[in-house]
């Protein structure tokens, strides 16, 4: 309440725009008084990944979109202030007795909970349950925790040290992270129950890439954006042979799609030495799904935007490597189901881009492995697990789910919000000792 006086917001709306309900007025008030530790403590009361959110959250459509100052001009730069507080703490972590960040582990309540996937949804759910005294183990299929934060979003947007630090914070809350365990293969969800876990939260994301199914898509030099970014971020392929996963360093790179992932892929190609980096997108600029900031950054770095252009065939050389991308020009017709105007091919407008790498960035869907290997756990036909929006309860009485595994590819903060809601509901369920559903 103290800050309301400082900012003179009679009725601050920003908190409603934050899926994890950070007490924004209070933390900004502390920053104003130069009480930075109090500011970061306020954020961390509901958000275990503040430095990540300060860097990658689309605040312009969340907390800042609700800022009362927006009506008269610019909103408060809430994301930048959040980032400042988190980075201040990183530089000034004190309280060595309790460990970095002054974290104290909650006393155990004797109940074990398992989490599948160490992305933002899993880390948030695990952190919240650990604070309540649960013994939480996250099972992660990759060799590093962080989900898309570690394998997808490039270093130049989200430094890996920032992610590792926030993963460490969750571990200090008492969470155990077992890497290199694929649930549904190495162990099943039933195995977890047999091992004494009383409930499971599934936060396995949406890492299955989509393709166009056009001729030539199997040529060498065609990547999904997921594979391209994972090779670069997680496998350090740019340091081959020091690291053992190679990547082709293309000179002319075409990225198909215009979302944030496409922007990350195309900007990464420039950092690998591409002389020409292109976005190829079948709709117009207004329809590009990427954040305006990401599109501007890409253009400033020299990325070419080829809009109203749709690939029809990937061309290859005699050795089976990509040599070009045949496209057709498009025009916008009537709006489709999504409300966006439908792109329609212009007959006879085919032409070829000279390129040696093609990256497909058309979206991803959840991997069906968990629904396929767990009796009673149902998924939608497109792959998303069926779960209640308000609690994360699935069709299996002891399994909750949230994040991209349920919604399909969305945002870090929405995944965190889902993790938080599920933790609350799991706690209520486990504390009541109920077997009722
Ligand atoms: P994920 O982050 O995908 O984590 C899921 C984890 O589960 C992974 O670590 C995976 O390895 C693991 N896993 C999967 N299956 C299993 C299994 N069977 N057993 C064990 N572990 C398993 N959002 C933003 O808000 N801002 C951005 O700027 C932004 N940029 C993005 C850039 C890229 C390149 C991508 C791909 C996404 C971006 N997003 C962004 C979206 C955001 O990262 C996701 O919405 C968010 O990470 C979803 O969190 P999650 O925890 O549900 O899943």
């Amino acid at each position: 309440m103290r800050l309301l006086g400082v900012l003179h917001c009679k009725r601050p709306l920003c908190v409603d725009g934050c899926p994890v309900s950070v007490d924004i007025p209070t933390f900004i008030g502390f920053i104003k008084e130069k009480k930075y530790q109090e500011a970061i403590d306020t954020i961390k009361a509901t958000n275990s990944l503040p430095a990540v959110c300060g860097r990658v959250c689309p605040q312009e459509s969340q907390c800042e979109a609700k800022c009362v100052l927006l009506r008269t001009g610019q909103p408060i730069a809430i994301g930048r202030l959040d980032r400042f507080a988190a980075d201040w703490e990183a530089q000034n972590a004190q309280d060595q007795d309790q460990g970095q960040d002054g974290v104290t582990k909650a006393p155990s309540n004797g109940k074990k909970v398992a989490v599948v996937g160490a992305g933002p949804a899993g880390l948030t759910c695990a952190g919240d349950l650990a604070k309540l005294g649960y013994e939480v183990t996250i099972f992660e299929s990759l060799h590093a925790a962080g989900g898309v934060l570690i394998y997808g979003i490039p270093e130049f947007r989200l430094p890996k040290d920032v992610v590792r630090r926030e993963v460490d914070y969750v571990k200090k809350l008492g969470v155990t992270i077992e890497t290199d365990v694929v649930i549904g293969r190495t162990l099943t969800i039933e195995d977890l129950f047999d091992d004494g876990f009383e409930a499971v939260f599934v936060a396995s994301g949406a890492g299955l890439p989509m393709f166009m199914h056009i001729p030539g898509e199997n040529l060498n030099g065609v990547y999904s954006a997921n594979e391209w970014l994972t090779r670069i971020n997680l496998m350090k392929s740019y340091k081959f042979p020091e690291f053992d996963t190679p990547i082709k360093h293309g000179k002319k790179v075409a990225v198909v799609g215009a979302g944030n992932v496409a922007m990350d892929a195309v900007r990464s190609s420039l950092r690998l030495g591409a002389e020409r980096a292109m976005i190829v997108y079948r709709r117009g600029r207004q329809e590009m799904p990427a954040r305006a900031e990401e599109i501007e950054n890409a253009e400033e770095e020299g990325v070419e935007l080829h809009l109203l252009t749709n690939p029809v065939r990937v061309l290859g050389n005699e050795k089976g490597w990509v040599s070009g991308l045949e496209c057709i020009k498009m025009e916008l017709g009537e709006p489709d189901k999504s409300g966006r105007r439908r792109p329609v091919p212009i007959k006879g407008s085919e032409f070829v881009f000279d390129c040696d790498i093609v990256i497909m960035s058309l979206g991803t869907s959840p991997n069906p492995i968990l629904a396929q290997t767990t009796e009673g756990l149902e998924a939608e036909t497109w792959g998303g697990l069926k779960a209640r929006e308000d609690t994360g309860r699935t069709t299996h009485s002891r399994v909750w789910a949230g994040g991209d595994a349920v919604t399909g590819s969305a945002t870090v903060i929405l995944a965190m919000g889902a993790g938080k809601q599920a933790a609350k509901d799991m706690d209520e369920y486990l504390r009541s000792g109920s077997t009722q559903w």
Side-chain angles (χ1 to χ4, degrees):
M1 283 299 112
R2 51 214 313 262
L3 176 74
L4 305 188
V6 176
L7 285 182
H8 306 296
C9 291
K10 272 200 192 123
R11 214 165 64 84
L13 301 172
C14 47
V15 183
D16 298 344
C18 173
V20 296
S21 306
V22 168
D23 185 349
I24 296 165
T26 301
F27 101 71
I28 296 180
F30 281 129
I31 289 182
K32 190 140 200 292
E33 292 171 20
K34 297 195 169 35
K35 293 183 176 168
Y36 303 134
Q37 189 61 51
E38 285 86 344
I40 187 64
D41 289 346
T42 305
I43 300 171
K44 279 175 141 181
T46 55
N47 181 346
S48 307
L49 311 172
V52 167
C53 291
R55 284 171 170 80
V56 304
C57 261
Q59 288 98 6
E60 70 279 6
S61 57
Q62 291 170 336
C63 52
E64 292 177 16
K66 302 257 180 176
C67 177
V68 290
L69 292 186
L70 193 60
R71 286 186 220 139
T72 52
Q74 288 255 316
I76 296 274
I78 300 166
R80 297 280 196 272
L81 290 169
D82 167 280
R83 174 176 169 171
F84 164 78
D87 288 357
W88 177 89
E89 187 187 47
Q91 280 167 9
N92 295 276
Q94 314 142 345
D95 209 346
Q96 300 305 323
D97 288 349
Q98 291 175 311
Q100 194 185 5
D101 304 327
V103 181
T104 29
K105 209 175 134 181
S108 169
N109 65 11
K111 289 180 189 290
K112 280 179 28 166
V113 174
V115 172
V116 181
L123 290 168
T124 302
C125 181
D128 279 14
L129 288 170
K131 284 182 193 167
L132 294 167
Y134 290 91
E135 290 176 25
V136 189
T137 304
I138 304 183
F139 295 93
E140 166 56 51
S141 55
L142 295 172
H143 63 264
V148 169
L149 309 178
I150 207 88
Y151 78 74
I153 303 182
E155 178 81 21
F156 59 84
R157 272 212 303 128
L158 181 60
K160 300 297 159 248
D161 279 351
V162 169
V163 182
R164 277 191 281 269
R165 191 183 143 75
E166 302 213 323
V167 169
D168 281 350
Y169 168 70
V170 173
K171 284 190 195 163
K172 286 190 185 103
L173 292 171
V175 173
T176 303
I177 304 183
E178 302 266 1
T179 52
D180 296 316
V181 184
V182 184
I183 301 298
R185 285 285 179 275
T186 328
L187 293 170
T188 63
I189 286 186
E190 285 307 323
D191 291 334
L192 299 179
F193 293 132
D194 291 345
D195 283 350
F197 291 99
E198 295 187 35
V200 176
F201 177 60
V202 177
S204 47
L208 208 59
M210 295 175 192
F211 287 93
M212 290 191 80
H213 305 293
I214 54 173
E217 233 175 349
N218 286 328
L219 286 162
N220 292 318
V222 179
Y223 294 87
S224 70
N226 248 35
E227 181 188 350
W228 176 257
L229 290 166
T230 304
R231 280 175 183 253
I232 296 170
N233 290 316
L234 192 65
M235 317 308 278
K236 307 274 177 266
S237 50
Y238 51 88
K239 289 191 180 165
F240 180 79
E242 192 188 326
F243 284 75
D244 59 8
T245 302
I247 198 164
K248 183 172 159 67
H249 294 212
K251 289 281 166 242
K252 293 171 191 163
V253 178
V255 177
V256 182
N260 290 317
V261 181
M263 298 305 142
D264 283 344
V266 78
R267 293 175 69 197
S268 297
S269 77
L270 286 172
R271 284 157 179 80
L272 285 185
E275 288 158 8
R276 194 171 176 209
M278 300 169 267
I279 286 285
V280 178
Y281 181 51
R282 64 196 181 124
R283 298 179 195 255
R285 185 167 186 124
Q286 277 193 331
E287 289 79 21
M288 289 175 78
R291 294 173 73 188
E293 185 181 316
E294 299 304 326
I295 300 169
E296 276 165 30
N297 290 341
E299 282 187 299
E300 274 173 17
E301 290 179 5
V303 170
E304 298 169 24
L305 302 184
H306 294 279
L307 306 175
L308 292 169
T309 303
N310 202 27
V312 288
R313 187 158 61 115
V314 186
L315 306 173
N317 61 23
E318 62 292 346
K319 290 187 176 157
W321 285 89
V322 171
S323 63
L325 184 65
E326 186 178 325
C327 297
I328 188 163
K329 292 301 266 174
M330 311 290 278
E331 60 190 351
L332 292 178
E334 293 302 308
D336 61 15
K337 271 194 285 182
S338 71
R340 297 180 300 177
R341 290 178 64 194
R342 186 192 298 276
V344 185
I346 303 173
K347 265 197 191 139
S349 66
E350 290 87 348
F351 66 100
V352 172
F353 280 120
D354 184 17
C355 60
D356 49 5
I357 296 277
V358 172
I359 300 168
M360 295 295 177
S361 184
L362 309 163
T364 52
S365 62
N367 192 313
I369 180 179
L370 284 156
Q372 284 169 355
T373 56
T374 314
E375 212 182 313
L377 185 63
E378 291 176 17
E380 306 285 356
T381 44
W382 56 271
L385 289 173
K386 288 186 185 172
R388 273 179 57 169
E389 214 177 300
D390 54 344
T391 58
R393 290 185 180 204
T394 66
T395 52
H396 187 299
S397 61
R398 289 161 76 192
V399 180
W400 282 251
D404 284 6
V406 171
T407 57
S409 188
T411 64
V412 171
I413 198 77
L414 286 174
M416 291 175 66
K420 215 166 208 5
Q421 272 177 340
K424 184 167 171 280
D425 195 66
M426 290 166 89
D427 175 48
E428 280 166 18
Y429 173 80
L430 292 168
R431 261 190 304 127
S432 72
S434 161
T435 50
Q436 295 296 312
W437 204 237

